[in-house]
Amino acid sequence: MTSGYAPLVGREAKGYLDNLAQAGTLDADTLQCFYQSMLQILCSAAEDASIPPGEFLPEKKYSQRSLNNYLTIDDVKGWLDRATRAFQTDVHSDKDTKGQMEQIVQYIQNHIERDIRRTEIAEEFYLNPDYLSRLFKKEMGVQLKDFIVAEKMKVAQDLLRTTALPVSMVAAKVGYSNFSHFSQVYKKVIGRSPAEDRASQGENVL
């Protein structure tokens, strides 16, 4: 499968699924057979194109659902989008990659109050988690998990310095339910404990 045919294959495959669904003939077994067939086709094509299987193999959740016939049409169509992109040689142009990184950063900032996981981001952007980590490190110069922590600590520091919220509440607002763990991470990243950092602002004012 060449880069030029990849989008076409994805569109045709999803169109076929939609036609089956509209005709009322897309049951769990049919969807399962279609998914397994496409997976075998892509594995063979990837081997010929020297594409690492990690670029398009389904997430663990898809594999588990597949074993239990719990796959939905949206599961398969979402996987097809990500899988066929792996065969597009121009999919990671500088412009596209930069835009994708901006979206990922925005996603992290918009969900800073949660315990953001790599798998969650990968699922949101239809990327393999390992590939996401490699791409983020390459483009941003920092590990994804370290970037997430740094962004959380920046928000926490701003809250500590501009509000009177208790430190425990600040911790909760950046996704930390364990106050002790939050304090340890904060000190490691900022260089001072939350209490010390807040106190230093009072000293600076004086």
Side-chain angles (χ1 to χ4, degrees):
M1 185 189 304
T2 63
S3 61
Y5 286 108
L8 177 61
V9 170
R11 288 195 298 271
E12 290 293 328
K14 289 188 293 182
Y16 176 71
L17 287 177
D18 287 336
N19 289 336
L20 290 180
Q22 291 172 6
T25 57
L26 185 64
D27 56 20
D29 289 336
T30 302
L31 184 61
Q32 174 74 8
C33 289
F34 175 86
Y35 166 75
Q36 293 294 342
S37 296
M38 286 301 302
L39 185 57
Q40 290 176 10
I41 291 170
L42 289 178
C43 281
S44 177
E47 184 175 353
D48 293 339
S50 299
I51 296 175
E55 300 286 334
F56 68 88
L57 286 179
E59 306 294 343
K60 182 178 180 181
K61 66 173 186 176
Y62 292 156
S63 299
Q64 188 61 44
R65 290 178 189 171
S66 175
L67 290 174
N68 296 286
N69 280 352
Y70 293 153
L71 280 171
T72 67
I73 186 173
D74 287 336
D75 284 337
V76 177
K77 289 169 72 174
W79 168 70
L80 279 168
D81 283 337
R82 179 170 63 80
T84 53
R85 280 208 305 268
F87 290 86
Q88 294 176 252
T89 56
D90 61 343
V91 72
H92 298 310
S93 67
D94 291 341
K95 182 178 180 180
D96 289 342
T97 300
K98 181 179 179 181
Q100 189 174 50
M101 289 300 104
E102 290 175 350
Q103 291 177 18
I104 291 172
V105 169
Q106 188 66 55
Y107 181 86
I108 292 170
Q109 294 172 339
N110 289 344
H111 298 83
I112 207 72
E113 77 284 356
R114 296 201 341 227
D115 180 17
I116 308 170
R117 303 283 180 166
R118 181 185 70 162
T119 51
E120 173 189 336
I121 298 173
E123 179 180 343
E124 179 70 20
F125 292 92
Y126 297 109
L127 296 172
N128 175 272
D130 291 335
Y131 176 72
L132 168 63
S133 293
R134 294 196 303 273
L135 182 63
F136 195 90
K137 178 65 166 63
K138 176 183 177 182
E139 298 299 324
M140 303 297 290
V142 63
Q143 295 288 352
L144 176 60
K145 62 179 181 179
D146 293 336
F147 179 84
I148 293 173
V149 170
E151 287 296 299
K152 285 177 175 290
M153 294 307 107
K154 279 166 49 178
V155 172
Q157 185 176 52
D158 184 61
L159 290 172
L160 286 168
R161 293 183 172 186
T162 61
T163 74
L165 290 173
V167 177
S168 59
M169 188 171 293
V170 170
K173 283 186 172 293
V174 293
Y176 285 82
S177 58
N178 186 310
F179 170 74
S180 177
H181 180 53
F182 166 74
S183 296
Q184 291 174 0
V185 174
Y186 190 93
K187 186 169 186 177
K188 180 178 179 181
V189 174
I190 303 299
R192 289 181 288 198
S193 71
E196 291 170 342
D197 199 20
R198 171 170 274 174
S200 70
Q201 294 308 296
E203 295 172 359
N204 291 338
V205 170
L206 297 175

